Amino acid sequence: MPLFKPLADDDPQVPDDTTDLLVNKITTDLAQARKLGFDQAWSATDLSAELSGADPLSAIGDQSAIIGHMSMKSYYYKSRRGI
């Protein structure tokens, strides 16, 4: 992804009547970034809901939220350690 480099730390120009000001330029560079994405899929059948007497999709949603939170926490700590 493109980025702008910091402006040069040049001394200011002192204008006079004989010379024009020099126009400074900003330079660009490319930065690299890692994309972090996770995918997972679960399924439930009507039979499992009937046999258990509970909503399996609700349980999947609750547990996947916990797993997602713990995974992101783990990756955060690993990134802080530079792994």
Side-chain angles (χ1 to χ4, degrees):
M1 49 189 195
L3 66 93
F4 292 106
K5 289 184 177 180
L7 296 175
D9 189 21
D10 296 334
D11 292 331
Q13 301 176 40
V14 179
D16 60 21
D17 293 336
T18 59
T19 58
D20 292 332
L21 291 175
L22 298 174
V23 178
N24 297 321
K25 295 181 180 171
I26 190 167
T27 56
T28 61
D29 201 0
L30 291 177
Q32 294 182 357
R34 290 185 187 257
K35 290 184 179 181
L36 186 61
F38 304 98
D39 294 323
Q40 192 61 275
W42 290 275
S43 67
T45 62
D46 292 336
L47 180 59
S48 63
E50 289 294 325
L51 293 176
S52 67
D55 182 16
L57 292 179
S58 176
I60 289 171
D62 294 342
Q63 292 180 29
S64 66
I66 293 168
I67 291 170
H69 175 71
M70 296 303 289
S71 295
M72 292 307 292
K73 191 166 138 182
S74 170
Y75 287 112
Y76 171 74
Y77 289 130
K78 287 179 182 177
S79 69
R80 296 281 295 166
R81 289 191 315 223
I83 297 175

